[in-house]
Structure formats: C-alpha cells, structure tokens
Amino acid sequence: MYAEERQQAMAQLVTEHGRLSVAAIAEQFDVTTETVRRDLSALERIGLVRRVHGGAVPASSLAVIESGLGERDQANTAEKGRIARAALEQLPPAGGTVLLDAGSTTGRFARLLPRDHRLTVITHAVPIAARLAGQPQIDLHLLPGRVRTTTQAAVGADTITALERLRVDVAFLGTDVRPANTAVVIDVLRASSTITLALASGYERVLVAGSLDEARALRGDGRVLAGEVHCARAPGFDLGNSPEETLSPRGTELVLATTNGAPAILASAEAGGEVLVAAMLNLDAVVAELAGEDDVLLVCAGTDGRASIEDVYLAGRLSAALEGDRSDAARIAEAVAASYTTPREALEASAGAIGLRRENLETDIAFCAQESIADTVGRISETVDAVAVLTARTAGARPRAAAADMGPATNAGMD
Ligand code: MLT
C-alpha cells in the first residue's frame, strides 16, 4: 500500500470511529507508531483529522479536541490555585480596570478578588460575570457576543468590536501550551535532569505529579518519592530533586513533584502529541529523537513563570542542532545559547542557580551542565489521573531522518 493510500484509509477509519489511538492505527495498518504519527501530521495539515493526546479525531469534532470548562476546572487544580494567588499581586490600585479572560484559572482568580478593593472588571466569561455580579465593590461589564458552550464565553465580531473600544490597566489572560506533534520539556535545573538520570539509572518509570500532596498520595511499594520546596527536599520525601540522588535506584518507580518542571510536563501532556524531556545530560539523544519531526515545540519550564537562562540556553542548543524553519523565539534562544562558551557558564548565570546556591546545592549546577552523558530520553507513555507516566527511550531505538520545520521555543504559559 502506498503512503497516500494508507493515509486516506487512516482518515476514513478515524472518521468512522470518531477517535482512534496511535497504537490502534499502527496495529490496524501494521506500521510503526512513528509512521502513524507522521501520517496523522500529514492528514492534519490538509485538514482531514486533528491530533489529540495519543491519537486522532475527525477534523470536525472540535468539541472532542477542546475539553469543556467543567473538565478543565478539575485538572491541575493546585497549580491553577497557585497561579491565581500569584496573579493577585498584579492587580491595579483601587479604582483600576481589569480584563478577565475566560478560563478555569481566571475563574479561580475571580473568586479570590478582594472584597475591599474597588475595581472595574470587564469579561466575556459568563461564569465569571455571574460570580462577580452581586459584589458591590465591582463595577462589572459583560462583553457582548455569541456564547460558546465549551468555554461559556462570548465570542465573535461583536465581542471583538467591544474589546477594541476598551482601555484596561491589566488584562488577565488564560494560556496554554499549544498543541504540537512533539513537545520537548526543558527544566535543566533540575527536574528534567533528574528525570533523565533516573530513567538512565534504571528506574522503570517516573511518575510526575502536579503537587507534593498528589505525590504523597502515590506512595506505594517500589515507589521512591522525590520532590522539592524552594529547591530543598520536601518534608517526608525520600529524595530531593538532585539528579545524582537517583544514580542508585531504590525502587522501580520515581514519583516526582517539583515547582516548575512538573507543571510544564503536565501542561504539555494536556496539550496532546508526543512529550519528551530534555536536559543537557541527554542533549545528543534528544536531537536524535527529534530528527524527522516536523512540528517541535520547545517548552521551557522557567522559574516561577519567568524565563530562565539555563532553559533558554538548552532550547537554543536544540534549535541550532535541528534542521528546518524556526520561529523568532527559537532564533532568540539560539542567540542566547551562542553567547555562552560552555553550558556550565550559562547554568551558573541563571535564575535557577540562585536557589540551589542558597540551599548549598551548587554541585547540582555542575552536574546538570554535563553534556550528553546519557542516551536515554524520557517520554510520556500515558497520563493516568493527571499523573504523567514517563518511560525511557534509548537513542537509536527509532530510525533517524532529516528534521523539517520547527515550532517556537516557549515558556510554558508564556508564549
Ligand atoms: C523546578 O521544577 O522548579 C525545579 O526543578 C526546581 C529545582 O531545582 O529543584
């Protein structure tokens, strides 16, 4: 069967079933999952299917691709609460005007607005408007337009025209990791280094949890708990977040919860597509994995919502090693990478290093700066109850080809 015939048959099958996993399609056509992913990308480009996490749906089933507000409200609740609390610091002085975007995180933020702070709030989100409507300190303006069921927010020409006339002090906008064929999560100091080394050292799986409490709930036989609070080992955990601590596995599964790296991995999992984890430690292996991929998104975890040098440095090194088109963001990352003579220099200069020095963990900086000492690449094999399960892929385990296009380097939640 020619590739075009196979792709046509695949599109037909996806349309008939409504949703199909990559594994099921691979079995049906007796081809590798990599071939299926490439075929689905080709079909997505011509608008016949849409890729979702682990599979594909017909292009017309937008409702399936985009999860509803209720569903999103149940996901990553701890992180959303933290973001909403942090965003409160950005409120303008009393009497100011804010724009609240629709979304589950902005919804939480609306719930936290202080009762003693006079504000004008403009929103297109019906649930947010309903929550604020009875609050005397809020001068509420609801934007016009057609209300979508999925987001429960007004959209369309009327909404845009009304927005164009407005001036606000601060806009609180929802954000996402955009869907990509392959997302590469980078948190050099230290989550992605720890994951890489744990899998290279013999842990069979790394279970990435959204919070320390969620990690604690996963405690069980053969499981080792690792996590940090401000870089220091979390209370009651077996390990902190130092990669070297994983060198001699004390179980079969490492359960990991960290401040920035873990949420970036979980957000990438939610966006769909293949998710890989990159560190300096496995740079060459990641480049080999990405060869032939035509839509790569580099997701820099950063530090507390801000870009950090060490992650942008690795994004730049990865971008420079791949062929194909780059976004401006990827070019900026390349320029950053080129301005350091060694990885160590970049890591030492980064925001991530500050907390490590404070906790007397500076040896981790030198350790994480080592280049390509592991040929293992962690990838999400499944997500179970908002926990991302990472397993190892060893370089050379799949055929290499020339890379084509390249998506933007981005900070998770900060495109
Ligand atoms: C994080 O996820 O924020 C980092 O990995 C923190 C750390 O270095 O422990």
Side-chain angles (χ1 to χ4, degrees):
M1 195 186 259
Y2 291 114
E4 289 77 11
E5 291 174 307
R6 186 180 62 235
Q7 287 168 5
Q8 203 172 359
M10 268 182 205
Q12 183 69 35
L13 205 67
V14 171
T15 307
E16 279 165 19
H17 286 76
R19 182 184 186 117
L20 270 182
S21 71
V22 169
I25 301 172
E27 196 181 322
Q28 175 83 22
F29 292 93
D30 196 20
V31 290
T32 64
T33 51
E34 282 73 29
T35 302
V36 173
R37 287 199 177 90
R38 269 195 293 276
D39 284 350
L40 292 178
S41 298
L43 289 169
E44 189 173 47
R45 274 197 295 276
I46 56 173
L48 284 181
V49 304
R50 289 295 303 265
R51 294 192 62 185
V52 292
H53 191 60
V57 295
S60 52
S61 18
L62 281 172
V64 181
I65 296 159
E66 192 181 5
S67 46
L69 184 64
E71 195 181 322
R72 279 187 286 128
D73 204 34
Q74 303 302 315
N76 300 323
T77 51
E79 291 75 21
K80 287 173 182 172
R82 277 208 300 274
I83 293 168
R85 284 192 294 280
L88 280 179
E89 286 171 24
Q90 309 299 327
L91 275 181
T97 301
V98 298
L99 177 75
L100 286 194
D101 190 10
S104 53
T105 309
T106 45
R108 276 182 173 69
F109 174 71
R111 273 177 240 160
L112 297 176
L113 285 177
R115 298 291 175 132
D116 57 356
H117 196 74
R118 216 164 30 80
L119 282 177
T120 297
V121 175
I122 297 158
T123 187
H124 67 138
V126 177
I128 291 179
R131 177 164 294 278
L132 299 179
Q135 298 189 16
Q137 85 283 14
I138 305 280
D139 181 16
L140 180 68
H141 296 250
L142 182 58
L143 292 168
R146 181 181 68 80
V147 175
R148 292 186 67 214
T149 18
T150 317
T151 56
Q152 299 175 27
V155 292
D158 290 344
T159 322
I160 291 167
T161 311
L163 267 174
E164 277 169 356
R165 286 201 302 268
L166 291 169
R167 292 286 174 273
V168 301
D169 296 310
V170 185
F172 294 91
L173 305 177
T175 185
D176 262 325
V177 172
R178 78 160 171 83
N181 285 356
T182 307
V184 181
V185 183
I186 301 171
D187 183 16
V188 178
L189 292 175
R190 297 165 294 170
S192 57
S193 302
T194 299
I195 290 167
T196 300
L197 203 67
L199 291 170
S201 302
Y203 281 97
E204 287 171 19
R205 280 171 290 279
V206 177
L207 312 185
V208 174
S211 68
L212 295 174
D213 282 344
E214 286 168 54
R216 283 190 188 98
L218 290 169
R219 203 182 257 296
D221 283 350
R223 286 186 175 162
V224 178
L225 257 61
E228 49 79 34
V229 185
H230 303 309
C231 296
R233 180 190 299 190
F237 276 48
D238 307 309
L239 308 175
N241 188 22
S242 294
E244 271 185 290
E245 289 181 293
T246 66
L247 271 171
S248 308
R250 290 159 53 178
T252 50
E253 294 183 321
L254 187 77
V255 179
L256 183 68
T258 72
T259 314
N260 300 287
I265 289 170
L266 292 167
S268 301
E270 236 182 58
E274 176 103 88
V275 180
L276 305 178
V277 173
M280 281 311 304
L281 305 177
N282 65 348
L283 173 58
D284 284 351
V286 174
V287 171
E289 276 295 312
L290 293 176
E293 286 298 335
D294 60 2
D295 178 24
V296 175
L297 180 73
L298 302 174
V299 181
C300 296
T303 302
D304 302 331
R306 290 182 294 276
S308 57
I309 292 172
E310 76 279 22
D311 294 344
V312 176
Y313 173 83
L314 177 55
R317 292 285 308 271
L318 283 168
S319 176
L322 297 169
E323 293 170 18
D325 297 337
R326 287 131 174 78
S327 65
D328 282 358
R331 287 177 195 278
I332 292 166
E334 285 184 31
V336 170
S339 69
Y340 292 96
T341 42
T342 62
R344 174 84 182 264
E345 199 189 308
L347 268 58
E348 292 284 358
S350 72
I354 297 169
L356 294 174
R357 287 198 202 96
R358 190 188 53 230
E359 293 299 325
N360 297 321
L361 290 166
E362 49 270 88
T363 51
D364 282 2
I365 304 170
F367 191 90
C368 295
Q370 298 175 91
E371 188 167 329
S372 301
I373 61 165
D375 65 356
T376 302
V377 181
R379 61 175 280 275
I380 296 184
S381 49
E382 57 178 334
T383 307
V384 185
D385 296 335
V387 174
V389 181
L390 288 145
T391 50
R393 180 126 75 184
T394 302
R398 69 183 212 179
R400 299 175 187 193
D405 297 336
M406 163 118 186
T410 180
N411 190 285
M414 216 192 74
D415 203 15

